[in-house]
């Protein structure tokens, strides 16, 4: 039995850093020699791939291994497919890695442009799901009008990351256009732009309500926004979408606005790059660019046991290959020197209570950990509030025994979801 909804907020005092009033230009990385895209793989579909090695592709072309299914990626370059290979992502998710070698001769696919005079949710969903920002368009399309509010993140959920903040402040015209398109193609008329206290100015006539949150982590996480801005507590085991609210990044909305403004599907990703010395850059590159090219562009070397984190310092995860590409939802890449990296240990829990004190959901984290370490996920969910967790990572951050609590929690939720699938039932 689930005991408790997320219900309170302690004050960990990790602040979000605000960008300066005069925004820097993005630092642009040239198109790499190889682009890699992760196309979702459906193991249940035993059909021949509709794509093959040697196929030419255009910039902005929709690439789908299974044309009858709603899975696709967008080619960010013109060139040739040079390999198709299986790839296993976080928690064993299956993909096909599509590698494209650009030929330097940019040809824009105009299939989308031919249809933009009549925007519909189907059109937006069919072409812009893989655009920068990774808009949750299929969720919107499948909701049958259940989603009544869209929240646009103009503030990044993780501290140190400034991608959404930068985009919301620097691309107002496309943001306004994207908001208008979303209103036109959905039943959603309440759109809220989330920003932090000091940066609320400058968004007049944008077509959305502008609301600020405290510049203190984890105020910009969805569950916190639901509670502090919308006055709704998400019950344990439910999602924001269950309550009719859907979250978009500012970049996802801008991708929609820019696509309808220009007729071209955007293919460049903006993200925050944090070097080992803590220097923060706002970088722009083609989706699919390998991390190795980004490190090289900034003269950053990675030594044994240094860490490369995709995502923010609290909720991101490490990658282990320099070929790992920038993806539509990569909002930050952080390089951490081995001497500063927080390594997990095999020390046992000493019941210091730090995780319990800092947990915004007031979970008995020290008890939850016992069950997670023993892979007893159902017990963790039934008796120790696994589904009340809002995935802030603060427990891992403060754990004196360096137990990877946050990773255990994500794995447990993933495994419990997987156990509900038909494949798991048949196994
Ligand atoms: S990640 Fe940890 S601190 Fe954050 S809500 Fe979940 S259990 Fe609590
Ligand atoms: S912070 Fe770590 S060591 Fe302390 S009670 Fe929580 S899990 Fe145990």
């Amino acid at each position: 039995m689930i005991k408790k909804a997320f219900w309170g907020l302690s004050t960990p005092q990790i602040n979000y850093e605000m960008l300066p009033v005069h925004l820097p230009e993005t630092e642009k990385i040239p198109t790499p020699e190889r682009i890699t895209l992760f196309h979702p793989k459906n193991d249940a579909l035993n059909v021949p791939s509709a794509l093959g090695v040697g196929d030419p592709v255009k910039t902005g072309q929709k690439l789908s291994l299974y044309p009858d299914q709603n899975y696709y990626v967008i080619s960010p370059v013109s060139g040739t497919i040079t390999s198709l290979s299986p790839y296993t992502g976080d928690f064993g998710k299956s993909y096909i890695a599509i590698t494209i070698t650009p030929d330097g001769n940019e040809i824009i696919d105009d299939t989308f442009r031919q249809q933009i005079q009549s925007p519909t949710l189907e059109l937006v969903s069919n072409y812009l799901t893989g655009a920068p920002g990774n808009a949750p368009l299929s969720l919107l399309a499948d909701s049958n009008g259940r989603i009544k509010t869209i929240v646009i993140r103009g503030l990044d959920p993780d501290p140190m990351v400034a991608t959404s903040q930068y985009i919301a402040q620097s691309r107002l015209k496309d943001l306004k256009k994207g908001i208008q398109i979303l209103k036109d193609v959905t039943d959603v008329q309440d759109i809220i732009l989330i920003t932090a206290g000091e940066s609320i100015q400058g968004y007049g006539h944008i077509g959305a309500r502008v609301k600020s949150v405290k510049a203190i982590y984890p105020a910009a996480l969805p569950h916190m926004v639901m509670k502090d801005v919308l006055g709704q507590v998400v019950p344990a085991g439910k999602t924001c979408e269950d309550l009719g609210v859907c979250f978009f990044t500012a970049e996802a909305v801008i991708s929609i606005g820019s696509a309808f403004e220009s007729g071209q599907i955007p293919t460049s990703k903006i993200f925050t790059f944090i070097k080992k010395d803590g220097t923060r850059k706002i970088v722009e590159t083609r989706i699919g660019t390998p991390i190795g090219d980004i490190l090289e562009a900034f003269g950053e070397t990675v030594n044994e046991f240094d860490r490369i984190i995709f995502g923010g310092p609290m909720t991101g995860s490490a990658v282990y290959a320099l070929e790992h590409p920038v993806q539509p939802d990569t909002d930050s890449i952080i390089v951490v020197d081995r001497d500063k990296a927080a390594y997990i240990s095999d020390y046992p829990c000493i019941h210091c209570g730090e995780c319990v004190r800092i947990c915004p959901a007031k979970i008995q984290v020290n008890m939850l950990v016992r069950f997670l370490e023993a892979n007893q996920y159902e017990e963790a969910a039934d008796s120790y509030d696994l589904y009340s967790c809002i995935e802030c990572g603060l427990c891992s951050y403060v754990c004196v025994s360096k137990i990877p609590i946050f990773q255990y929690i994500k794995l447990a939720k993933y495994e419990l979801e997987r156990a509900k699938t038909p494949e798991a039932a048949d196994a």
Side-chain angles (χ1 to χ4, degrees):
M1 185 183 71
I2 293 166
K3 290 166 50 183
K4 181 171 68 187
F6 144 76
W7 55 270
L9 169 66
S10 38
T11 3
Q13 286 297 331
I14 298 171
N15 294 329
Y16 293 117
E17 281 178 44
M18 295 298 110
L19 285 167
V21 175
H22 298 292
L23 296 174
E25 289 291 317
T26 56
E27 304 207 28
K28 295 189 172 60
I29 308 288
T31 302
E33 290 178 1
R34 239 179 18 192
I35 287 282
T36 303
L37 307 170
F38 292 144
H39 186 301
K41 183 168 182 283
N42 187 337
D43 293 321
L45 277 180
N46 194 15
V47 293
S49 166
L51 300 171
V53 171
D55 287 358
V57 296
K58 298 176 188 171
T59 304
Q61 182 179 335
K62 201 173 151 179
L63 305 179
S64 181
L65 289 164
Y66 325 107
D68 294 340
Q69 302 289 314
N70 199 20
Y71 300 128
Y72 64 89
V73 290
I74 299 289
S75 177
V77 291
S78 302
T80 306
I81 295 177
T82 43
S83 82
L84 295 164
S85 54
Y87 174 80
T88 304
D90 286 348
F91 304 119
K93 285 185 197 157
S94 296
Y95 298 90
I96 295 292
I98 303 175
T99 305
I100 301 167
T101 302
D103 59 14
N105 183 23
E106 189 103 289
I107 302 172
I108 308 293
D109 186 276
D110 66 354
T111 316
F112 174 71
R113 181 196 291 272
Q114 289 168 11
Q115 304 175 64
I116 60 172
Q117 295 313 321
S118 316
T120 60
L121 184 54
E122 190 183 9
L123 175 68
V124 176
S125 178
N126 277 347
Y127 285 90
L128 300 177
T129 297
N134 214 26
L137 294 166
S138 55
L139 193 155
L140 212 51
D142 296 343
S143 79
N144 293 323
R146 184 167 45 98
I147 301 296
K148 298 295 180 203
T149 303
I150 290 177
V151 175
I152 304 171
R153 289 173 170 165
L155 180 68
D156 303 84
D158 258 61
M160 296 171 75
V161 183
T163 307
S164 293
Q165 213 190 123
Y166 179 86
I167 293 170
Q169 290 176 35
S170 63
R171 303 280 301 275
L172 284 175
K173 186 170 162 234
D174 286 335
L175 185 61
K176 186 175 175 183
K177 177 80 178 177
I179 290 169
Q180 188 55 55
I181 294 287
L182 283 171
K183 284 185 176 175
D184 289 347
V185 303
T186 66
D187 296 331
V188 175
Q189 291 305 316
D190 186 21
I191 300 190
I192 302 171
L193 175 68
I194 295 297
T195 176
E198 307 87 56
S199 59
I200 198 164
Q201 305 296 332
Y203 292 111
H205 311 297
I206 199 146
R209 293 195 286 147
V210 182
K211 295 283 181 185
S212 70
V213 295
K214 286 182 189 166
I216 300 171
Y217 186 76
L221 284 181
H223 284 68
M224 301 301 291
V225 172
M226 291 291 291
K227 172 180 161 289
D228 294 340
V229 176
L230 295 168
Q232 297 187 56
V233 172
V234 181
K238 297 284 183 189
T239 64
C240 303
E241 294 82 37
D242 291 333
L243 272 61
V245 182
C246 181
F247 282 72
F248 278 55
T249 63
E251 190 175 30
V253 180
I254 277 154
S255 289
I256 294 169
S258 161
F260 279 89
E261 196 68 42
S262 67
Q264 284 183 28
I265 299 174
T267 54
S268 286
K269 180 77 187 84
I270 294 176
F271 63 93
T272 306
F273 179 58
I274 300 172
K275 298 177 67 175
K276 277 194 240 180
D277 64 5
T279 313
R280 186 167 66 172
K281 310 271 185 192
I282 304 293
V283 178
E284 189 169 352
T285 190
R286 303 278 179 140
I287 289 172
T289 300
I291 175 66
D293 284 49
I294 293 151
L295 299 176
E296 190 181 328
F298 289 103
E300 189 81 329
T301 50
V302 178
N303 303 311
E304 198 176 5
F305 301 122
D306 289 348
R307 283 267 184 83
I308 301 173
I309 310 285
F310 268 51
M314 303 302 291
T315 63
S317 49
V319 300
Y320 298 96
L322 294 179
E323 293 76 35
H324 194 90
V326 171
Q327 298 178 63
D329 62 352
T330 302
D331 282 338
S332 65
I333 298 174
I334 306 173
V335 189
V336 185
D337 189 272
R338 56 180 290 180
D339 294 335
K340 294 182 188 160
Y343 284 96
I344 60 172
S345 78
D346 53 6
Y347 292 134
C349 171
I350 58 165
H351 295 287
C352 65
E354 288 297 324
C355 54
V356 180
R357 278 189 283 282
I358 206 160
C359 176
K362 302 294 182 208
I363 294 169
Q364 287 291 113
V365 187
N366 57 329
M367 298 303 293
L368 176 64
V369 160
R370 283 193 196 180
F371 288 87
L372 299 180
E373 284 186 317
N375 298 343
Q376 294 178 0
Y377 301 143
E378 284 178 9
E379 290 83 348
D382 290 345
S383 306
Y384 289 98
D385 300 315
L386 175 68
Y387 283 116
S388 297
C389 170
I390 65 165
E391 300 188 11
C392 67
L394 283 166
C395 49
S396 292
Y397 180 75
V398 298
C399 179
V400 292
S401 291
K402 302 284 178 231
I403 299 170
I405 310 168
F406 178 58
Q407 285 74 14
Y408 283 152
I409 288 170
K410 288 188 70 168
L411 178 62
K413 288 184 178 177
Y414 172 76
E415 289 294 343
L416 288 172
E417 280 309 303
R418 205 166 66 93
K420 293 181 196 162
T421 60
E423 297 85 51
D426 293 343

